[in-house]
Amino acid sequence: MDRIDTVRSAAAAAALVLMLAPRAAEACGGFFCDGGPQPMPVDQTGEDILFVMDEGRVAVHVRIEYEGAAENFAWLVPVLSVPTDFSVGSEALFDRVKAGSVPQYGVSVTSDDCDLMGSVSLSGGDTNAGGDEGGVKLDLGGGPVVLAEEQVGAYEIVVIGGNPDGTTTAQEVFDWLGENGYQQDEAALPILGDYLDEGHAFAALRLQAGAGVDALHPVVFEFDHPEPCVPLRLTAIAASDDMPVRTYFLSEHRVVPQTYKHVLVNPLKIDWPQQGSNYAEVVTKAVDADVANGRAFVTEYAGTSGVVDVAGLVDPRWDPQAFVGLGSTQVLDELIAQGLVACAFDGVDCGPQHPLLDALLRETLLPDDVSVADLYADPDAYADLLDATLWGDGTAFSQGLAERVVAPALDALDIVQGHPTLTRMFTIISPHEMTADPMFHENPDLDDVTNVRTGIDRRLCNGDSVWTLPDGREVYIPLGDAWPDLGGDMFWEEEVEEVPDAGPPIVLVDNAAAINEVLRAYNAARGWDGSGENGGVEGGAAADAEQEDARGGCGCRSGSGGAWAWMLLVALGLRSRRLHAARR
């Protein structure tokens, strides 16, 4: 690993670090994109953001999705202060954090002992079934000033801000962006003005000349302030309705919303037999409920970062320096030896083992008429066509490999191993609700939220079922019926709360008792009172007492008997009111 450590040190030493005192964190900014003749081509149908929180500082990892011509790619990010560092992020880190924390609905099926026959259906009335279906100018005159310039992986990044005298206008920022190839929507003008008034700077990104869309990679901004924030206000210009926003936090303690509300969804609204197919609808309705008002998050997972699989994240065979001085026809063999390319047999029918490798090869080795796929399919046939002039002595490829592949992987490993807690939060939000930028903080006094939720489908002798949810509630379902919607009086949200940076949440809305009463009436109408050894929901305080820490999250898993089938699905954490007061 010594040679990899050397690569990491060299990459860090080469980075230009710009220091600037942080500004007050009234808001954090917003993602905004453009792209020449067709503004806003960057995919704004969803955002994945990872915050790495340390004492007094935060690193923001953003994964960018884009469809379109490389020359049209451009991206604007308002920032609280000039980042102290920029770097290439790890796609694998995003994938593994996401996979390790994805919540799961589970069901275990049991059957009653039916040796004594003659059971009669308990269904005593009509069933209300039918659950939901599932180059940068430096002479700027009186306008904005350039605060920093960087080349980070495949990107050119310039940070601009207002003049020190505070006279820079939103129109001047808008005009500068247009003159430098960042076409903007005029609707952004008042929002740009708000950010300027709050003292924000703007980081503008675009692909370097010659880089293709396949070179897109996550990017990391580091700041000397501790406030994680999801930028949304400027995002509204390019966002779609009901846009999913998922945030991840690697930190010392669990993270919760600071400026947005926190919501616990009603688990009875989830269609458990259909593996939570209506989950997005439930979250949408829950965060749109009174008091939450569309600006709220749910917790999908909070617990050990050990759920993130780091095995194989870094390969000890990687050695970027080995490509320096290597002939162009020897590149593929060395890639195979380092495990960066795998082949079916004898160096034929090969494929990359890292998503950025193809872009590096295209930029540093291949002439325009040779594709990476052609090279992998039959390297011998294209050996004489490789661009030896472009390749040179291999230094450009070596540096790119170190910066875009090796260093991000090493950093990802350090990040996961150095931060004991992972929090995953989720919301669905529309542009008209993006009037404030949500900020977050740690709370060391909260319980974990598990991402594994298992319900029990108890099959009765008459063919009907009693579902017991992880919180202890029971739902009677006659044979052949779908998950009930329980009528119009059933709330989508169980609780809406504000969460301070210490101590338990402040409950603003508590619908638990009303939910239990609707469920009690539904079960009773079908002859099920949950009495005797069956347990059951009797409403009020008795039901509250049954709601243990199981209300931690939901996802998607189904099973029959002892067998399990798995499906990935977003979910959120649920807690009972009693647990709020006693444990959180």
Side-chain angles (χ1 to χ4, degrees):
M1 293 293 288
D2 290 342
R3 62 191 183 189
I4 293 181
D5 290 335
T6 300
V7 169
R8 175 164 53 182
S9 299
L16 174 63
V17 180
L18 299 167
M19 306 300 293
L20 189 78
R23 299 180 175 92
E26 296 92 350
C28 67
F31 297 121
F32 186 53
C33 49
D34 90 299
Q38 298 296 325
M40 279 74 72
V42 174
D43 180 4
Q44 289 290 286
T45 59
E47 291 178 356
D48 278 340
I49 308 171
L50 168 64
F51 297 93
V52 179
M53 300 171 63
D54 291 294
E55 187 70 32
R57 59 186 291 110
V58 62
V60 184
H61 298 236
V62 183
R63 176 155 56 180
I64 306 168
E65 297 181 4
Y66 171 75
E67 292 182 2
E71 60 270 21
N72 288 339
F73 175 84
W75 190 42
L76 183 68
V77 186
V79 292
L80 278 169
S81 60
V82 175
T84 59
D85 200 6
F86 308 83
S87 59
V88 177
S90 169
E91 187 80 22
L93 177 60
F94 270 98
D95 291 341
R96 293 176 183 221
V97 165
K98 188 172 185 176
S101 61
V102 62
Q104 305 154 21
Y105 282 127
V107 52
S108 176
V109 179
T110 66
S111 298
D112 283 1
D113 184 352
C114 299
D115 288 341
L116 298 175
M117 303 304 293
S119 298
V120 178
S121 174
L122 294 175
S123 301
D126 294 336
T127 301
N128 185 9
D132 296 301
E133 301 268 330
V136 177
K137 291 188 176 182
L138 297 179
D139 182 8
L140 301 175
V145 296
V146 173
L147 303 173
E149 295 179 84
E150 284 280 353
Q151 288 195 358
V152 179
Y155 302 119
E156 295 176 355
I157 304 178
V158 57
V159 181
I160 63 172
N163 277 325
D165 60 9
T167 61
T168 303
T169 66
Q171 187 65 55
E172 288 172 322
V173 172
F174 186 89
D175 292 343
W176 185 94
L177 291 167
E179 291 166 6
N180 287 273
Y182 298 88
Q183 301 291 329
Q184 302 298 310
D185 190 316
E186 290 188 359
L189 270 170
I191 306 175
L192 291 173
D194 289 342
Y195 282 116
L196 278 173
D197 291 343
E198 295 164 5
H200 282 71
F202 300 92
L205 294 80
R206 61 185 171 197
L207 286 168
Q208 297 179 29
V213 174
D214 58 351
L216 288 173
H217 54 72
V219 63
V220 183
F221 305 90
E222 296 187 26
F223 299 94
D224 274 344
H225 59 73
E227 298 91 354
C229 178
V230 177
L232 284 180
R233 283 183 291 168
L234 203 49
T235 301
I237 301 297
S240 59
D241 284 337
D242 293 333
M243 188 181 85
V245 176
R246 184 169 288 105
T247 57
Y248 307 90
F249 305 83
L250 282 163
S251 55
E252 184 70 23
H253 306 291
R254 179 177 164 186
V255 175
V256 289
Q258 178 182 4
T259 56
Y260 274 37
K261 300 297 190 294
H262 186 248
V263 170
L264 311 181
V265 302
N266 177 2
L268 295 174
K269 282 291 190 179
I270 299 291
D271 192 334
W272 286 71
Q274 294 300 315
Q275 302 177 325
S277 61
N278 66 333
Y279 175 74
E281 178 191 12
V282 175
V283 173
T284 301
K285 296 288 181 62
V287 300
D288 282 345
D290 290 344
V291 180
N293 296 326
R295 287 178 290 278
F297 280 81
V298 299
T299 299
E300 296 187 325
Y301 172 79
T304 173
S305 62
V307 298
V308 182
D309 182 13
V310 298
L313 195 58
V314 178
D315 192 323
R317 294 175 293 175
W318 292 348
D319 182 10
Q321 191 63 28
F323 293 92
V324 177
L326 200 67
S328 60
T329 59
Q330 300 172 287
V331 174
L332 192 58
D333 287 341
E334 182 61 29
L335 290 170
I336 294 171
Q338 293 193 24
L340 289 162
V341 169
C343 302
F345 56 92
D346 294 334
V348 178
D349 193 15
C350 305
Q353 300 302 293
H354 191 281
L356 296 180
L357 186 60
D358 286 1
L360 281 170
L361 290 172
R362 187 177 51 76
E363 294 171 18
T364 60
L365 178 66
L366 302 179
D368 291 340
D369 57 349
V370 176
S371 72
V372 181
D374 291 338
L375 177 66
Y376 290 146
D378 192 353
D380 291 337
Y382 291 92
D384 295 335
L385 299 178
L386 302 181
D387 195 332
T389 301
L390 180 63
W391 175 257
D393 67 353
T395 296
F397 180 84
S398 174
Q399 291 176 341
L401 186 65
E403 182 185 17
R404 302 189 201 179
V405 175
V406 180
L410 287 165
D411 289 342
L413 183 61
D414 289 346
I415 286 168
V416 175
Q417 294 180 337
H419 298 81
T421 301
L422 170 64
T423 305
R424 169 176 170 149
M425 306 194 75
F426 178 63
T427 193
I428 295 178
I429 190 167
S430 295
H432 70 275
E433 297 164 333
M434 299 177 183
T435 58
D437 297 327
M439 303 185 74
F440 302 83
H441 54 202
E442 292 181 273
N443 183 318
D445 300 324
L446 302 182
D447 285 344
D448 290 349
V449 176
T450 180
N451 62 325
V452 178
R453 298 292 95 209
T454 304
I456 300 174
D457 176 11
R458 172 188 169 190
R459 304 287 174 82
L460 305 180
C461 294
N462 64 356
D464 296 347
S465 291
V466 175
W467 280 70
T468 303
L469 302 189
D471 60 14
R473 290 182 169 116
E474 291 183 345
V475 182
Y476 191 91
I477 302 181
L479 178 65
D481 283 354
W483 189 260
D485 64 15
L486 299 178
D489 293 333
M490 181 59 78
F491 293 94
W492 295 90
E493 78 286 7
E494 180 154 357
E495 288 189 8
V496 180
E497 56 193 21
E498 292 178 346
V499 190
D501 58 5
I506 301 167
V507 178
L508 306 176
V509 176
D510 184 356
N511 293 320
I515 289 170
N516 291 332
E517 178 56 30
V518 172
L519 178 60
R520 186 205 62 76
Y522 163 85
N523 283 333
R526 286 146 187 83
W528 183 260
D529 62 6
S531 60
E533 62 180 330
N534 295 325
V537 175
E538 298 180 29
D544 287 344
E546 292 292 329
Q547 296 163 23
E548 286 296 335
D549 195 36
R551 280 200 247 172
C554 47
C556 177
R557 183 171 67 180
S558 66
S560 178
W564 295 100
W566 297 83
M567 173 185 287
L568 302 183
L569 186 67
V570 293
L572 66 152
L574 304 174
R575 288 286 191 272
S576 68
R577 179 165 63 93
R578 176 166 296 187
L579 285 171
H580 289 323
R583 301 180 58 189
R584 303 208 301 173

